[in-house]
Amino acid sequence: MKFELKDFKGVIPAYVTPFDKDGNYYEKSAKEVIEWQISQGVGGFYLTGSNGYGAAMDSSERMKVVESVCRIVDGRVPVVAHIAAVSGQLSAKMASHAASVGCTGVSAVPSYYYKLTPDEMYRYYSEIAEASELPLVIYAQTHVYEPSVEMFERLATIPKVQGLKYTGPNHYMMGRIKEKLGKDFMVYSGYDEMFLSGLLFGADALIGGTYNVIPDLYIKAVDHFEGGDIKLAQKELFVANAIVQCLIKNDIQAAMKVCLEIMGMDAGYNPTPFAMMDDSAKQKFLCEMRNIKAGTDVTCELFKVL
C-alpha cells in the first residue's frame, strides 16, 4: 500500500535497531519486534534516528536497516527514515535510497557536528529534498537549536518540506509553528513524557523511543484523549512517565531490550561501545518495574509478564 505523509499518524516508535553479538544488524530480532509492534497498533516506524543508533552506523549499514524494515513491514504501515549526516551530499544519497525501497518519507536533523547558518540550513534541506520525491520531515532537537516560526516559514518554502518532528519542551513554540503552517503541515511531538501536552498544542502524531516497549499504553491514552476523557489519559500518562523514568535510570536502551525479552522477543544487542545489563542489574530493574505495576490499576502488555 502506498502511503502519504498524512497517513504517518498515531503512536510511532522511534525504532531501536537491534544488533547481534558481533555488532551487525540483526534482522531476526527486527522481524520479531516489528511484528509485535504492528499487532499492538503502532501507526508506523521512524528509523535510524537517535534510538535507532543512526549516528553509530555508516551509511551502508543505515541503508541496510531501512531496506530490511521496509521489507518486513511490507506496506502495512508507513515508514519514515532518518537520513541525516554531517554531509548534505551523504544525506541526499540516503534519501534517494529510502525512496527506492518504499519509505513514505525521510527526516533529518541539521548537521549535528557543525552549527549551520540559516542559509546553510536552507541549502542542506534543499539538497535532501531534491534527491528524491519523498516528503521531508525536519527533525528539530531543541538542545541543538531552537526552532522559530520564522525559521519554519522559510524552510517550508522548500517544496518537499512537509513536516516537523519537534523534540523539546517548548510546546507553545511547536503549537505556533503548527498554527502558522496549517493543517497540511504535519507536526510530530517527540518527547514521550509530554505526549499529552504535545497533542493539546496541536501535534498530529507522536514519535518516541519508549513506544517500542509500551505502545499499547500510549495508544490507550491517545484514544482516551481523543474521546474526551482527559482524566483517564492523564492517569495513563503518569504511569507511562513512571516507566520512562525507570527506563532512563537503568540505561534506557539496555532496559528496553530487557522489557522486550521478558515479553518473549529476541531483542538483540546494543552496538559497541554501548553496554547491556548484567543479571544483577536486570533483577534490580525488574523489581523497580514491578513496584510501578503494583501501584496502579492501569494495564499494558509489559505489566502482564512482570
Side-chain angles (χ1 to χ4, degrees):
M1 180 175 178
K2 186 172 178 59
F3 295 102
E4 298 179 10
L5 190 62
K6 66 181 181 181
D7 301 313
F8 192 55
K9 295 188 75 172
V11 172
I12 301 162
Y15 183 65
V16 178
T17 307
F19 296 82
D20 64 20
K21 285 184 177 180
D22 298 318
N24 302 306
Y25 169 62
Y26 189 21
E27 189 171 61
K28 176 180 177 293
S29 169
K31 183 171 177 56
E32 286 187 31
V33 174
I34 287 168
E35 290 295 341
W36 176 77
Q37 290 168 339
I38 289 176
S39 77
Q40 296 300 301
V42 300
F45 294 94
Y46 185 89
L47 308 181
T48 58
S50 302
N51 278 284
Y53 294 111
M57 293 184 277
D58 64 32
S59 58
S60 63
E61 291 173 312
R62 290 168 71 178
M63 289 189 286
K64 181 179 180 180
V65 171
V66 171
E67 187 168 348
S68 167
V69 173
C70 285
R71 185 169 58 249
I72 293 166
V73 169
D74 193 26
R76 289 175 287 176
V77 294
V79 173
V80 168
H82 178 260
I83 47 78
V86 174
S87 159
Q89 185 177 28
L90 188 53
S91 298
K93 178 182 177 181
M94 289 188 286
S96 177
H97 173 266
S100 73
V101 299
C103 285
T104 297
V106 291
S107 180
V109 293
S111 171
Y112 43 80
Y113 189 83
Y114 300 102
K115 186 172 179 61
L116 302 183
T117 68
D119 286 345
E120 288 170 337
M121 194 176 295
Y122 186 90
R123 191 177 308 124
Y124 169 76
Y125 284 116
S126 296
E127 188 173 3
I128 294 172
E130 290 166 4
S132 81
E133 73 276 12
L134 296 179
L136 172 57
V137 177
I138 295 175
Y139 185 178
Q141 292 179 316
T142 62
H143 66 279
V144 178
Y145 70 101
E146 180 61 42
S148 66
V149 173
E150 294 74 22
M151 174 190 294
F152 271 89
E153 280 187 294
R154 185 184 184 199
L155 293 176
T157 64
I158 301 170
K160 296 189 186 74
V161 172
Q162 297 180 21
L164 161 67
K165 180 180 184 288
Y166 186 95
T167 301
N170 189 350
H171 283 170
Y172 166 71
M173 178 57 66
M174 185 193 75
R176 287 189 63 217
I177 293 168
K178 174 65 179 178
E179 183 179 8
K180 185 68 176 181
L181 295 179
K183 65 181 181 62
D184 294 329
F185 187 86
M186 299 295 290
V187 171
Y188 300 93
S189 181
Y191 264 1
D192 304 24
E193 301 94 320
M194 298 180 67
F195 74 91
L196 277 185
S197 172
L199 293 173
L200 282 166
F201 276 92
D204 295 290
L206 311 170
I207 299 174
T210 60
Y211 308 159
N212 281 278
V213 295
I214 48 172
D216 53 326
L217 180 52
Y218 290 104
I219 290 167
K220 285 191 294 185
V222 172
D223 287 345
H224 288 131
F225 169 80
E226 292 178 345
D229 195 338
I230 305 300
K231 283 293 185 183
L232 186 51
Q234 183 186 56
K235 180 179 180 180
E236 289 156 342
L237 164 70
F238 291 154
V239 174
N241 280 353
I243 295 171
V244 170
Q245 291 307 307
C246 187
L247 290 168
I248 292 171
K249 174 185 173 184
N250 288 278
D251 187 348
I252 186 167
Q253 299 283 7
M256 285 197 293
K257 284 182 167 51
V258 173
C259 292
L260 293 169
E261 287 169 359
I262 67 170
M263 286 189 285
M265 286 164 272
D266 181 350
Y269 296 82
N270 292 329
T272 182
F274 306 104
M276 297 288 286
M277 280 191 184
D278 60 26
D279 288 341
S280 175
K282 281 183 183 180
Q283 292 310 311
K284 179 175 177 293
F285 165 65
L286 291 174
C287 181
E288 292 171 355
M289 291 292 288
R290 291 185 187 107
N291 287 338
I292 296 171
K293 174 186 175 180
T296 181
D297 58 358
V298 170
T299 61
C300 62
E301 289 298 306
L302 178 59
F303 281 174
K304 292 178 183 178
V305 298
L306 285 172

